[in-house]
Structures are given as C-alpha cells and as structure tokens.
mmCIF file of all heavy atoms in Angstrom:
data_model
loop_
_atom_site.group_PDB
_atom_site.id
_atom_site.type_symbol
_atom_site.label_atom_id
_atom_site.label_comp_id
_atom_site.label_asym_id
_atom_site.label_seq_id
_atom_site.Cartn_x
_atom_site.Cartn_y
_atom_site.Cartn_z
ATOM 1 N N GLU A 1 86.555 123.872 -4.521
ATOM 2 C CA GLU A 1 87.506 122.818 -3.877
ATOM 3 C C GLU A 1 87.126 122.740 -2.493
ATOM 4 O O GLU A 1 86.961 123.687 -1.834
ATOM 5 C CB GLU A 1 88.972 123.388 -4.135
ATOM 6 C CG GLU A 1 90.056 122.462 -3.614
ATOM 7 C CD GLU A 1 91.428 122.996 -3.843
ATOM 8 O OE1 GLU A 1 91.985 122.744 -4.938
ATOM 9 O OE2 GLU A 1 91.966 123.475 -2.932
ATOM 10 N N GLY A 2 86.944 121.412 -2.074
ATOM 11 C CA GLY A 2 86.692 121.188 -0.671
ATOM 12 C C GLY A 2 85.270 121.407 -0.571
ATOM 13 O O GLY A 2 84.376 121.258 -1.372
ATOM 14 N N GLY A 3 84.839 121.815 0.612
ATOM 15 C CA GLY A 3 83.363 121.991 0.928
ATOM 16 C C GLY A 3 82.707 120.786 1.482
ATOM 17 O O GLY A 3 83.003 119.656 1.065
ATOM 18 N N GLN A 4 81.966 120.952 2.507
ATOM 19 C CA GLN A 4 81.192 119.873 3.221
ATOM 20 C C GLN A 4 79.844 119.539 2.633
ATOM 21 O O GLN A 4 79.476 118.370 2.720
ATOM 22 C CB GLN A 4 81.195 119.989 4.693
ATOM 23 C CG GLN A 4 82.551 120.113 5.284
ATOM 24 C CD GLN A 4 82.394 120.444 6.935
ATOM 25 O OE1 GLN A 4 81.351 120.758 7.249
ATOM 26 N NE2 GLN A 4 83.587 120.312 7.555
ATOM 27 N N LYS A 5 79.214 120.614 2.199
ATOM 28 C CA LYS A 5 77.739 120.474 1.686
ATOM 29 C C LYS A 5 77.616 121.231 0.291
ATOM 30 O O LYS A 5 78.300 122.225 0.197
ATOM 31 C CB LYS A 5 76.740 120.996 2.813
ATOM 32 C CG LYS A 5 76.778 120.236 4.029
ATOM 33 C CD LYS A 5 75.696 120.683 4.942
ATOM 34 C CE LYS A 5 75.781 120.026 6.289
ATOM 35 N NZ LYS A 5 75.515 118.580 6.208
ATOM 36 N N CYS A 6 76.714 120.738 -0.451
ATOM 37 C CA CYS A 6 76.397 121.333 -1.638
ATOM 38 C C CYS A 6 75.326 122.420 -1.366
ATOM 39 O O CYS A 6 74.324 122.108 -0.675
ATOM 40 C CB CYS A 6 75.902 120.317 -2.730
ATOM 41 S SG CYS A 6 77.093 119.281 -3.249
ATOM 42 N N LEU A 7 75.479 123.641 -1.862
ATOM 43 C CA LEU A 7 74.637 124.780 -1.467
ATOM 44 C C LEU A 7 73.644 125.051 -2.642
ATOM 45 O O LEU A 7 74.050 125.217 -3.686
ATOM 46 C CB LEU A 7 75.433 125.936 -0.991
ATOM 47 C CG LEU A 7 76.362 125.792 0.073
ATOM 48 C CD1 LEU A 7 76.983 127.213 0.469
ATOM 49 C CD2 LEU A 7 75.506 125.269 1.413
ATOM 50 N N LEU A 8 72.400 125.299 -2.298
ATOM 51 C CA LEU A 8 71.478 125.833 -3.201
ATOM 52 C C LEU A 8 71.258 127.316 -2.992
ATOM 53 O O LEU A 8 70.766 127.598 -1.927
ATOM 54 C CB LEU A 8 70.087 125.080 -3.137
ATOM 55 C CG LEU A 8 69.037 125.371 -4.241
ATOM 56 C CD1 LEU A 8 69.477 125.017 -5.624
ATOM 57 C CD2 LEU A 8 67.677 124.707 -3.871
ATOM 58 N N GLY A 9 71.721 128.151 -3.885
ATOM 59 C CA GLY A 9 71.777 129.549 -3.677
ATOM 60 C C GLY A 9 70.440 130.167 -3.683
ATOM 61 O O GLY A 9 69.351 129.609 -3.922
ATOM 62 N N ASP A 10 70.552 131.460 -3.211
ATOM 63 C CA ASP A 10 69.278 132.308 -3.006
ATOM 64 C C ASP A 10 68.342 132.376 -4.310
ATOM 65 O O ASP A 10 67.131 131.976 -4.193
ATOM 66 C CB ASP A 10 69.559 133.678 -2.666
ATOM 67 C CG ASP A 10 68.400 134.660 -2.407
ATOM 68 O OD1 ASP A 10 67.817 134.455 -1.458
ATOM 69 O OD2 ASP A 10 68.220 135.407 -3.336
ATOM 70 N N LYS A 11 68.851 132.623 -5.434
ATOM 71 C CA LYS A 11 68.057 132.946 -6.746
ATOM 72 C C LYS A 11 67.425 131.527 -7.021
ATOM 73 O O LYS A 11 66.098 131.474 -7.307
ATOM 74 C CB LYS A 11 68.819 133.497 -7.794
ATOM 75 C CG LYS A 11 68.143 133.717 -8.961
ATOM 76 C CD LYS A 11 68.998 134.395 -10.220
ATOM 77 C CE LYS A 11 68.115 134.599 -11.322
ATOM 78 N NZ LYS A 11 67.251 133.399 -11.877
ATOM 79 N N THR A 12 68.240 130.441 -7.207
ATOM 80 C CA THR A 12 67.659 129.249 -7.751
ATOM 81 C C THR A 12 66.605 128.684 -6.669
ATOM 82 O O THR A 12 65.584 128.085 -7.068
ATOM 83 C CB THR A 12 68.881 128.258 -7.872
ATOM 84 O OG1 THR A 12 69.791 128.782 -8.841
ATOM 85 C CG2 THR A 12 68.229 126.933 -8.481
ATOM 86 N N ALA A 13 66.880 128.814 -5.393
ATOM 87 C CA ALA A 13 65.962 128.335 -4.343
ATOM 88 C C ALA A 13 64.615 128.974 -4.546
ATOM 89 O O ALA A 13 63.589 128.415 -4.430
ATOM 90 C CB ALA A 13 66.470 128.520 -2.987
ATOM 91 N N LYS A 14 64.642 130.282 -4.805
ATOM 92 C CA LYS A 14 63.407 131.002 -4.985
ATOM 93 C C LYS A 14 62.744 130.696 -6.374
ATOM 94 O O LYS A 14 61.507 130.586 -6.458
ATOM 95 C CB LYS A 14 63.674 132.553 -5.075
ATOM 96 C CG LYS A 14 64.057 133.182 -3.776
ATOM 97 C CD LYS A 14 64.358 134.635 -3.742
ATOM 98 C CE LYS A 14 64.807 135.191 -2.333
ATOM 99 N NZ LYS A 14 65.380 136.599 -2.412
ATOM 100 N N ASP A 15 63.500 130.503 -7.395
ATOM 101 C CA ASP A 15 62.940 129.995 -8.618
ATOM 102 C C ASP A 15 62.158 128.643 -8.518
ATOM 103 O O ASP A 15 61.111 128.393 -9.201
ATOM 104 C CB ASP A 15 64.085 129.916 -9.685
ATOM 105 C CG ASP A 15 64.508 131.182 -10.106
ATOM 106 O OD1 ASP A 15 63.906 132.236 -9.822
ATOM 107 O OD2 ASP A 15 65.729 131.317 -10.740
ATOM 108 N N LEU A 16 62.794 127.761 -7.667
ATOM 109 C CA LEU A 16 62.066 126.475 -7.515
ATOM 110 C C LEU A 16 61.058 126.580 -6.404
ATOM 111 O O LEU A 16 60.361 125.475 -6.246
ATOM 112 C CB LEU A 16 63.267 125.526 -7.060
ATOM 113 C CG LEU A 16 64.281 125.110 -7.980
ATOM 114 C CD1 LEU A 16 65.395 124.310 -7.461
ATOM 115 C CD2 LEU A 16 63.693 124.242 -9.183
ATOM 116 N N GLY A 17 60.889 127.682 -5.774
ATOM 117 C CA GLY A 17 59.795 127.758 -4.788
ATOM 118 C C GLY A 17 60.112 127.216 -3.375
ATOM 119 O O GLY A 17 59.099 127.059 -2.592
ATOM 120 N N VAL A 18 61.298 126.681 -3.204
ATOM 121 C CA VAL A 18 61.648 126.191 -1.898
ATOM 122 C C VAL A 18 62.121 127.214 -0.860
ATOM 123 O O VAL A 18 62.294 126.994 0.352
ATOM 124 C CB VAL A 18 62.792 125.130 -1.979
ATOM 125 C CG1 VAL A 18 62.306 124.052 -2.912
ATOM 126 C CG2 VAL A 18 63.997 125.766 -2.581
ATOM 127 N N LEU A 19 62.277 128.471 -1.432
ATOM 128 C CA LEU A 19 62.543 129.599 -0.441
ATOM 129 C C LEU A 19 61.662 130.742 -0.761
ATOM 130 O O LEU A 19 61.575 131.176 -1.858
ATOM 131 C CB LEU A 19 64.166 129.994 -0.724
ATOM 132 C CG LEU A 19 64.483 131.300 0.118
ATOM 133 C CD1 LEU A 19 64.583 130.951 1.598
ATOM 134 C CD2 LEU A 19 65.933 131.727 -0.275
ATOM 135 N N ARG A 20 60.856 131.112 0.244
ATOM 136 C CA ARG A 20 59.922 132.198 0.033
ATOM 137 C C ARG A 20 60.154 133.371 0.975
ATOM 138 O O ARG A 20 60.577 133.126 2.089
ATOM 139 C CB ARG A 20 58.456 131.491 0.363
ATOM 140 C CG ARG A 20 58.074 130.448 -0.544
ATOM 141 C CD ARG A 20 56.792 129.858 -0.259
ATOM 142 N NE ARG A 20 55.683 130.776 -0.255
ATOM 143 C CZ ARG A 20 54.459 130.566 0.152
ATOM 144 N NH1 ARG A 20 54.235 129.439 0.745
ATOM 145 N NH2 ARG A 20 53.553 131.458 0.068
ATOM 146 N N VAL A 21 59.938 134.518 0.521
ATOM 147 C CA VAL A 21 60.197 135.764 1.194
ATOM 148 C C VAL A 21 58.856 136.547 1.165
ATOM 149 O O VAL A 21 58.428 136.775 0.082
ATOM 150 C CB VAL A 21 61.333 136.592 0.683
ATOM 151 C CG1 VAL A 21 61.524 137.854 1.571
ATOM 152 C CG2 VAL A 21 62.594 135.578 0.721
ATOM 153 N N GLY A 22 58.468 137.017 2.327
ATOM 154 C CA GLY A 22 57.184 137.836 2.357
ATOM 155 C C GLY A 22 56.335 137.627 3.657
ATOM 156 O O GLY A 22 56.721 136.751 4.431
ATOM 157 N N LEU A 23 55.305 138.292 3.755
ATOM 158 C CA LEU A 23 54.532 138.207 4.916
ATOM 159 C C LEU A 23 53.824 136.752 5.068
ATOM 160 O O LEU A 23 53.625 136.308 6.113
ATOM 161 C CB LEU A 23 53.423 139.334 4.963
ATOM 162 C CG LEU A 23 53.972 140.725 5.047
ATOM 163 C CD1 LEU A 23 52.783 141.689 4.972
ATOM 164 C CD2 LEU A 23 54.706 141.008 6.303
ATOM 165 N N GLU A 24 53.520 136.136 3.915
ATOM 166 C CA GLU A 24 52.864 134.903 3.947
ATOM 167 C C GLU A 24 53.676 133.769 4.708
ATOM 168 O O GLU A 24 53.192 132.760 5.179
ATOM 169 C CB GLU A 24 52.564 134.470 2.598
ATOM 170 C CG GLU A 24 53.619 133.964 1.709
ATOM 171 C CD GLU A 24 54.352 135.063 1.003
ATOM 172 O OE1 GLU A 24 53.867 136.250 1.303
ATOM 173 O OE2 GLU A 24 55.215 134.947 0.198
ATOM 174 N N VAL A 25 55.062 134.096 4.821
ATOM 175 C CA VAL A 25 55.833 132.941 5.528
ATOM 176 C C VAL A 25 55.553 132.854 6.968
ATOM 177 O O VAL A 25 55.881 131.966 7.763
ATOM 178 C CB VAL A 25 57.334 133.124 5.234
ATOM 179 C CG1 VAL A 25 57.718 133.073 3.861
ATOM 180 C CG2 VAL A 25 57.813 134.438 5.847
ATOM 181 N N ASN A 26 54.885 133.990 7.512
ATOM 182 C CA ASN A 26 54.502 133.818 8.961
ATOM 183 C C ASN A 26 53.160 133.291 9.202
ATOM 184 O O ASN A 26 52.704 133.264 10.218
ATOM 185 C CB ASN A 26 54.585 135.327 9.448
ATOM 186 C CG ASN A 26 55.943 135.905 9.465
ATOM 187 O OD1 ASN A 26 56.919 135.203 9.789
ATOM 188 N ND2 ASN A 26 55.995 137.200 9.197
ATOM 189 N N GLN A 27 52.586 132.626 8.178
ATOM 190 C CA GLN A 27 51.324 132.152 8.269
ATOM 191 C C GLN A 27 51.295 130.543 8.061
ATOM 192 O O GLN A 27 50.327 129.982 7.516
ATOM 193 C CB GLN A 27 50.268 132.689 7.334
ATOM 194 C CG GLN A 27 50.168 134.274 7.456
ATOM 195 C CD GLN A 27 49.318 134.883 6.354
ATOM 196 O OE1 GLN A 27 48.878 134.206 5.474
ATOM 197 N NE2 GLN A 27 49.315 136.201 6.524
ATOM 198 N N LEU A 28 52.311 129.983 8.542
ATOM 199 C CA LEU A 28 52.515 128.531 8.414
ATOM 200 C C LEU A 28 51.700 127.668 9.514
ATOM 201 O O LEU A 28 51.541 126.521 9.365
ATOM 202 C CB LEU A 28 53.878 128.117 8.457
ATOM 203 C CG LEU A 28 54.873 128.674 7.510
ATOM 204 C CD1 LEU A 28 56.317 128.264 7.704
ATOM 205 C CD2 LEU A 28 54.466 128.191 6.116
ATOM 206 N N GLY A 29 51.136 128.269 10.476
ATOM 207 C CA GLY A 29 50.318 127.749 11.448
ATOM 208 C C GLY A 29 51.142 126.908 12.516
ATOM 209 O O GLY A 29 50.566 126.171 13.301
ATOM 210 N N GLU A 30 52.374 127.091 12.620
ATOM 211 C CA GLU A 30 53.222 126.331 13.519
ATOM 212 C C GLU A 30 52.807 126.571 14.829
ATOM 213 O O GLU A 30 52.755 125.741 15.809
ATOM 214 C CB GLU A 30 54.729 126.650 13.299
ATOM 215 C CG GLU A 30 55.649 125.970 14.279
ATOM 216 C CD GLU A 30 55.885 124.433 13.910
ATOM 217 O OE1 GLU A 30 55.546 124.053 12.663
ATOM 218 O OE2 GLU A 30 56.152 123.754 14.814
ATOM 219 N N SER A 31 52.497 127.873 15.226
ATOM 220 C CA SER A 31 52.181 128.214 16.647
ATOM 221 C C SER A 31 50.893 127.669 17.024
ATOM 222 O O SER A 31 50.715 127.668 18.207
ATOM 223 C CB SER A 31 52.250 129.756 16.708
ATOM 224 O OG SER A 31 51.277 130.329 15.981
ATOM 225 N N SER A 32 50.089 127.128 16.041
ATOM 226 C CA SER A 32 48.743 126.599 16.537
ATOM 227 C C SER A 32 48.828 125.121 16.792
ATOM 228 O O SER A 32 47.952 124.623 17.159
ATOM 229 C CB SER A 32 47.762 126.873 15.458
ATOM 230 O OG SER A 32 48.059 126.286 14.193
ATOM 231 N N ARG A 33 50.001 124.471 16.611
ATOM 232 C CA ARG A 33 50.121 123.133 16.730
ATOM 233 C C ARG A 33 50.346 122.852 18.372
ATOM 234 O O ARG A 33 51.083 123.569 19.011
ATOM 235 C CB ARG A 33 51.180 122.481 15.929
ATOM 236 C CG ARG A 33 51.000 122.589 14.519
ATOM 237 C CD ARG A 33 52.196 122.150 13.764
ATOM 238 N NE ARG A 33 51.989 122.303 12.295
ATOM 239 C CZ ARG A 33 52.998 122.127 11.413
ATOM 240 N NH1 ARG A 33 54.143 121.649 11.783
ATOM 241 N NH2 ARG A 33 52.758 122.348 10.046
ATOM 242 N N PRO A 34 49.872 121.689 18.801
ATOM 243 C CA PRO A 34 50.148 121.316 20.247
ATOM 244 C C PRO A 34 51.792 121.270 20.391
ATOM 245 O O PRO A 34 52.569 120.648 19.534
ATOM 246 C CB PRO A 34 49.586 119.998 20.475
ATOM 247 C CG PRO A 34 48.502 119.978 19.390
ATOM 248 C CD PRO A 34 48.981 120.798 18.271
ATOM 249 N N PHE A 35 52.220 121.865 21.465
ATOM 250 C CA PHE A 35 53.731 121.838 21.708
ATOM 251 C C PHE A 35 54.157 120.543 22.280
ATOM 252 O O PHE A 35 53.398 119.860 22.952
ATOM 253 C CB PHE A 35 54.056 122.919 22.835
ATOM 254 C CG PHE A 35 55.560 123.217 22.945
ATOM 255 C CD1 PHE A 35 56.320 123.487 21.919
ATOM 256 C CD2 PHE A 35 56.142 123.058 24.194
ATOM 257 C CE1 PHE A 35 57.707 123.676 22.090
ATOM 258 C CE2 PHE A 35 57.450 123.233 24.386
ATOM 259 C CZ PHE A 35 58.288 123.522 23.274
ATOM 260 N N THR A 36 55.314 119.977 21.882
ATOM 261 C CA THR A 36 55.759 118.628 22.209
ATOM 262 C C THR A 36 55.899 118.598 23.596
ATOM 263 O O THR A 36 56.035 119.611 24.460
ATOM 264 C CB THR A 36 57.186 118.354 21.572
ATOM 265 O OG1 THR A 36 58.111 119.354 21.978
ATOM 266 C CG2 THR A 36 57.017 118.418 20.068
ATOM 267 N N LYS A 37 55.867 117.394 24.247
ATOM 268 C CA LYS A 37 56.118 117.111 25.653
ATOM 269 C C LYS A 37 56.819 115.855 25.797
ATOM 270 O O LYS A 37 56.675 114.898 24.914
ATOM 271 C CB LYS A 37 54.804 117.190 26.432
ATOM 272 C CG LYS A 37 53.818 116.114 26.019
ATOM 273 C CD LYS A 37 52.494 116.165 26.756
ATOM 274 C CE LYS A 37 51.430 115.127 26.323
ATOM 275 N NZ LYS A 37 50.202 115.364 26.937
ATOM 276 N N ILE A 38 57.557 115.751 26.893
ATOM 277 C CA ILE A 38 58.462 114.514 27.187
ATOM 278 C C ILE A 38 57.485 113.333 27.569
ATOM 279 O O ILE A 38 56.724 113.560 28.594
ATOM 280 C CB ILE A 38 59.486 114.797 28.099
ATOM 281 C CG1 ILE A 38 60.349 115.867 27.711
ATOM 282 C CG2 ILE A 38 60.214 113.438 28.506
ATOM 283 C CD1 ILE A 38 61.525 116.310 28.671
ATOM 284 N N SER A 39 57.383 112.305 26.797
ATOM 285 C CA SER A 39 56.490 111.211 27.134
ATOM 286 C C SER A 39 56.752 110.505 28.470
ATOM 287 O O SER A 39 57.954 110.266 28.742
ATOM 288 C CB SER A 39 56.531 110.286 25.967
ATOM 289 O OG SER A 39 55.796 109.198 26.263
ATOM 290 N N GLY A 40 55.763 110.307 29.300
ATOM 291 C CA GLY A 40 55.848 109.517 30.405
ATOM 292 C C GLY A 40 56.543 110.213 31.626
ATOM 293 O O GLY A 40 56.786 109.646 32.673
ATOM 294 N N VAL A 41 56.557 111.618 31.516
ATOM 295 C CA VAL A 41 57.199 112.337 32.536
ATOM 296 C C VAL A 41 56.124 113.423 33.017
ATOM 297 O O VAL A 41 55.599 114.262 32.246
ATOM 298 C CB VAL A 41 58.397 113.162 32.238
ATOM 299 C CG1 VAL A 41 58.959 113.949 33.324
ATOM 300 C CG2 VAL A 41 59.451 112.099 31.886
#
C-alpha cells in the first residue's frame, strides 16, 4: 500500500546481473576518465 517507487530487491537484482558484489566492481575505470569541468569558465 502506498510507496513512491517500485523496488527491485537484492536477490532478483543479482539474478538479473544488474547488481554485482565483489572486487571486480572496483574496476569500472571511472577514475581514469577525464573529470568534468564547467564549460567556458
């Protein structure tokens, strides 16, 4: 009853592969991308 958003729980999210747990999640390469900057400033 009520609720603002529909939630995909832990088990199903892992079964679908959209939630990963482990050391490999730290190897996404985000830190190697150029950091954003404010254009024109």
Side-chain angles (χ1 to χ4, degrees):
E1 187 177 276
Q4 298 179 347
K5 297 183 184 297
C6 299
L7 302 184
L8 187 64
D10 179 77
K11 182 180 184 305
T12 305
K14 290 176 181 175
D15 291 343
L16 289 168
V18 298
L19 178 63
R20 299 174 63 188
V21 178
L23 295 176
E24 69 276 5
V25 299
N26 294 323
Q27 300 174 3
L28 297 178
E30 179 69 27
S31 62
S32 63
R33 299 176 185 173
F35 188 58
T36 57
K37 59 184 177 183
I38 299 176
S39 178
V41 176

